[in-house]
Amino acid sequence: MKKWLSIFLLVGLVAGVLSACSGNGGGETSGENGESGGEPSGEITVWGWNVAAESMELAVDGFKEQYPDVEVKVEDIGRLDVYEKLTVGLASGGNGLPDVVLVESDRLANYQEQFPDALTNLSEMGYDKHEDKFGEYKLSVTQNSDGDFFAAPWDIGPTGVFYRTDIFEEAGVNPEDIKTWDDYIEAGKTIKEKTGTNMVPVDIAKDDALYRMMLNQQGAYYYDEEGNIDVTSEESKKAFEVIKQLNNEELILNNDGWNGVVSATVNGEVATVPFGVWYTGTIMDQAPDQSGQWGVFQLPAFEEGGNRAANLGGSDLVIPSSSDNKNTAYAFVEYFTTEVDPQMKALEEKGIFPSLNSTYEEDFFNQESEFFSNQKIFKLFADEVSDIPVANYTSDYSRAFDTMSDTQASILLDGKDIETALQDAAEKLKSETDRKISE
Amino acid sequence: MRHNVSPFRKTLLYIFLFIGVIVSVFPFYWMFVGATNPSGEIFKVPPNFLPGDYGWENFKNLNENVGIVRVLGNSLFITLTFTVLSAIVCTAAGYAFAKFQFKGRNAIFFMLLVAIMIPYHVTLIPLFEIFSNVNWLNTFQAVILPQVAYPFAIFLMRQNMQAIPDSLLEAARVDGAGEFHIFFRIVLPVMRPALAAVAIFLFMFQWNNFIWPLVVLQSQDMYTLPVALSSLVGMSRIDYGQVMMGTTLSTLPIMIFFLLLQKQFISGILGGSVKE
């Protein structure tokens, strides 16, 4: 009987492994019909999450003014849940998918490469005419290697350093003097000495956001333009040298998860938080009584006069090929991403930053924000957009993300040598992804 | 045993138990505090340990956001239907495996054990395709049916059924009882404690079931509680007051269900009918 048991277990395991591997196969698409031209009409379903879904909801009325015969149903689904459902739907050949899905920019390449035929080619539907309305960074994530749009660019996450004006004042540090990361570390030392406050919150073992911003700022990323593993680059070393130095000077507050970072922010445990523009909303929501105590400056550069622009976050819209109402789906995507009105609603009411260039001329960007010490913070972020370097996220983004968070922990917590740690990380990625290590 | 405990050890024991109680109850209390306060309060230092008066407001926001009343109804309906159906199927199957001789019994049972080991990721996509082909996406039966024959519950019932002496069943047969009569009037009453345990297990499984309902349910008015709560957690802005209110509401039914079935454990022990 024991023999029987082991045979069955073996069969079960093999079957399990096999079916896990074949999961990505079926890219077969249906529903090519029903997209003959004409006025958009009928109902479409849209998936998004949280404030992004709410922004889409806000756009529905304006959209219906242009096309009275349409109905838009927005489903508000958790961010990671959207990916779960999208992956299952795409893997089963487009079953049960909606007409429009929101996807974060750094995850787009993953879907585009794994299911090449499953996303509608927007260029074929006429999106190319909007090409000059977006910055180079946004185009690089939404176009495939042939220069065709497979996603429509929507929001973007220009980065900045959010800082506590009162803490800086108490320590006698002028944020305008912080031009390079060396200045930043010096300022941090002064602040720690005078006020006892840490400089920056980092979720060391689970999130390498600071490292990613520094890579992007220098025009590098996990992978180079050819998709080769690039974590051993000069830029990568420089980034970790800064982070390690911050850690050595005890300026980093190690937080557990997103909640930890938020709680450190609102409790004044840190003097600065480098993040994407979307963090403005978080601060204003979670620390409503700290109005006037916050300000923003751009990421410090690596050398005097160097680039201070980077991106963190942002998302775009795709139309699954399985949609049986592509015409209306496209009309909605076009309206939602290229008209100024829905962009401004999303920004003013939900704090979501548009990537559509023409929006930056709106009055709103010249307004002073009372919460942020009357600084014109949105102008600062808008001016940054055109300087954001291109990043190649590739389909193996999340593997690199996990690996580099581990690497960050081994450097900061176990004191591993940077050079060795990055070399090990590159080797690990090489074995996981079959990609070459960049020379 | 009892008269041996010295006062010192007793005090030590009580201190230990007291700490245990604090450690296990505090998260629930903290959840309750969070549910009755505005979101910003939760991260305050020093923390506010007292329940606030914002509970109704959080509930209203939550209902506006995810339709919590409707969602609770969905969850209760799905979970209770599933628990009843699955308990019947698994008990009957366990009984068959334990007390009937048929060809391939052991082989089938081992396949069942293997099934326990298959991770859900493997079955997710094929299962999704099946339900999509019969047009059952976004329906309650799609959530309830796939797991009705729950391998672990069958396994548990079989192990318990084996304790029933064959002589008892034979005696009933000799007295002319039909198989259904034996199952419902003799086997089930003895199995009450095991049945209660399995029911609680099934209830908790379906109540907390997340990934399958998430994938198969499409519209917000069909969501179950875990799926709806998950949608509250977006990219950068989370209203923790609402989340805490939601989690508070989601723990209540499990507690009530457990308290209701707890009695069965005890009455089942008293209901022994055979001495050997």
Side-chain angles (χ1 to χ4, degrees), chain A residues 81 85 96 259 267 285 350, chain B residues 43 214 217-218 230 237 240:
Chain A
D81 302 348
K85 293 175 78 130
N259 295 354
N267 289 323
D285 273 2
K350 303 294 170 193
Chain B
F43 293 120
L214 168 75
L217 295 176
Q218 312 263 312
S230 175
R237 268 194 259 181
Y240 291 94

Side-chain angles (χ1 to χ4, degrees), chain A residues 158-205:
Chain A
T159 56
V161 180
F162 299 89
Y163 72 100
R164 280 285 291 270
T165 49
D166 50 340
I167 295 176
F168 268 60
E169 222 159 273
E170 195 188 329
V173 174
N174 183 358
E176 284 174 26
D177 292 341
I178 302 179
K179 296 205 170 65
T180 64
W181 285 107
D182 290 337
D183 299 339
Y184 182 80
I185 293 168
E186 284 310 312
K189 281 198 246 174
T190 316
I191 289 169
K192 179 98 185 195
E193 199 178 299
K194 297 257 175 69
T195 69
T197 317
N198 289 302
M199 193 63 168
V200 52
V202 178
D203 180 0
I204 292 181

Side-chain angles (χ1 to χ4, degrees), chain A residues 47 77-89, chain B residues 75 78 118-125 127-128 131 137-139 142-144 146-147 150 204-218 223-230:
Chain A
W47 285 356
I77 305 167
R79 176 174 62 99
L80 297 173
D81 302 348
V82 167
Y83 300 132
E84 196 85 41
K85 293 175 78 130
L86 183 61
T87 307
V88 172
Chain B
S75 258
I78 288 176
I118 299 177
Y120 73 87
H121 292 97
V122 175
T123 48
L124 197 62
I125 290 166
L127 207 57
F128 184 81
F131 278 95
L137 293 184
N138 206 24
T139 59
V143 181
I144 296 169
Q147 302 281 5
Y150 197 84
M204 278 184 36
F205 161 77
Q206 188 59 279
W207 186 257
N208 294 328
N209 193 5
F210 173 67
I211 202 80
W212 176 245
L214 168 75
V215 167
V216 85
L217 295 176
Q218 312 263 312
Y223 279 0
T224 60
L225 204 60
V227 179
L229 287 185
S230 175

Side-chain angles (χ1 to χ4, degrees), chain A residues 52-61 72-75 332 336:
Chain A
E54 288 163 21
S55 305
M56 299 190 198
E57 199 80 63
L58 288 175
V60 171
D61 282 343
V72 182
K73 208 166 134 210
V74 179
E75 302 286 4
F332 179 75
F336 188 63

